[in-house]
Amino acid sequence: QKYAKDDEGKIRDISVQMERMTNDVNKKRKLLDNEMTETIAAQMELDKIAHDFRRSHSERQELIRQWQNTIEQMQRRDQDMDKCALILAEVKQEIREKEALINEKVQFLKNETENNEEFVRKISINERQGAKLRLEYQAHETNRIQLQNELDTLKGKVDRTATDLETVRSQITNLKRENIEKNT
């Protein structure tokens, strides 16, 4: 019995120890769970920070790339402006040459205009003379038509007279024949 009492005491001690240890384990598990939760939260925060850093780094790289593109575009525009300045100088030279040619042609046109004005004056004189001659011609033509009409009228009279004469001659011949026939 003594051993049984000792065993029971030991069992009680062990049970108390087990209870204490179970409580310790539960406390430590709870602490571990809290630590785990904090660690997960910290890891998530760290992941977010890493993601934000990567995004910021990417944005920074994109900004640098855009700056480089902007610089390259500015250089290209500078080159284009140099080319445009050269083209502008050539165009200005061409304009000066064309203006000289235009001035020459304007002077030629002025001379030709003066010549044309002289021709216009001569043509005007000739047209007035032509109009006068046309009026004279029309007057002569009117006179000719009147004379032609008179001539045609006289021809008609002559033709009628000739016909009348022929008729009278025929009548005379018939009368002579009748007379001869009566006398015979």
Side-chain angles (χ1 to χ4, degrees):
Q1 278 188 345
K2 184 180 178 191
Y3 292 118
K5 272 189 178 180
D6 283 341
D7 284 342
E8 278 180 23
K10 282 184 183 180
I11 288 173
R12 253 183 280 154
D13 287 341
I14 289 175
S15 287
V16 169
Q17 242 182 348
M18 267 182 64
E19 244 182 80
R20 233 182 290 132
M21 286 176 108
T22 301
N23 285 339
D24 284 344
V25 165
N26 285 339
K27 284 179 186 174
K28 287 187 179 184
R29 186 171 282 141
K30 195 170 184 184
L31 282 173
L32 180 64
D33 285 344
N34 287 343
E35 283 296 320
M36 245 337 225
T37 302
E38 288 177 13
T39 301
I40 289 170
Q43 183 63 44
M44 288 171 62
E45 186 65 28
L46 187 61
D47 288 345
K48 184 178 181 299
I49 290 170
H51 174 72
D52 288 347
F53 175 78
R54 282 192 295 278
R55 192 185 71 227
S56 293
H57 180 70
S58 176
E59 288 173 356
R60 208 170 15 261
Q61 290 299 100
E62 177 62 20
L63 187 59
I64 289 169
R65 188 189 64 73
Q66 288 176 358
W67 282 347
Q68 287 173 339
N69 284 344
T70 302
I71 290 168
E72 288 172 5
Q73 285 177 357
M74 288 172 68
Q75 288 171 343
R76 281 195 300 274
R77 285 188 181 150
D78 284 346
Q79 291 171 352
D80 290 345
M81 286 173 64
D82 290 341
K83 287 178 187 174
C84 286
L86 183 62
I87 291 170
L88 182 62
E90 291 172 355
V91 167
K92 283 183 178 180
Q93 178 61 32
E94 193 175 323
I95 287 171
R96 282 191 294 274
E97 291 170 2
K98 286 187 178 180
E99 282 176 345
L101 183 63
I102 286 171
N103 289 335
E104 183 182 318
K105 289 190 177 192
V106 164
Q107 186 58 44
F108 176 77
L109 179 64
K110 183 180 174 188
N111 294 340
E112 288 299 308
T113 302
E114 289 171 1
N115 291 340
N116 284 347
E117 287 172 358
E118 180 62 27
F119 283 126
V120 165
R121 279 193 295 276
K122 287 180 181 177
I123 287 170
S124 178
I125 291 169
N126 287 337
E127 282 178 347
R128 283 194 299 274
Q129 288 176 345
K132 183 179 175 185
L133 289 173
R134 273 193 296 281
L135 288 174
E136 287 178 10
Y137 169 77
Q138 286 175 350
H140 288 304
E141 184 65 13
T142 303
N143 192 25
R144 186 194 65 77
I145 289 171
Q146 285 175 350
L147 290 174
Q148 183 68 43
N149 288 341
E150 288 177 18
L151 178 64
D152 289 345
T153 302
L154 289 174
K155 277 184 182 179
K157 284 182 182 179
V158 167
D159 287 344
R160 276 195 306 278
T161 304
T163 304
D164 291 346
L165 179 61
E166 202 52 46
T167 304
V168 168
R169 280 186 185 158
S170 184
Q171 287 175 351
I172 290 173
T173 304
N174 285 339
L175 285 174
K176 281 182 181 178
R177 203 178 309 132
E178 286 176 8
N179 230 352
I180 290 174
E181 287 175 6
K182 280 185 192 178
N183 289 334
T184 45

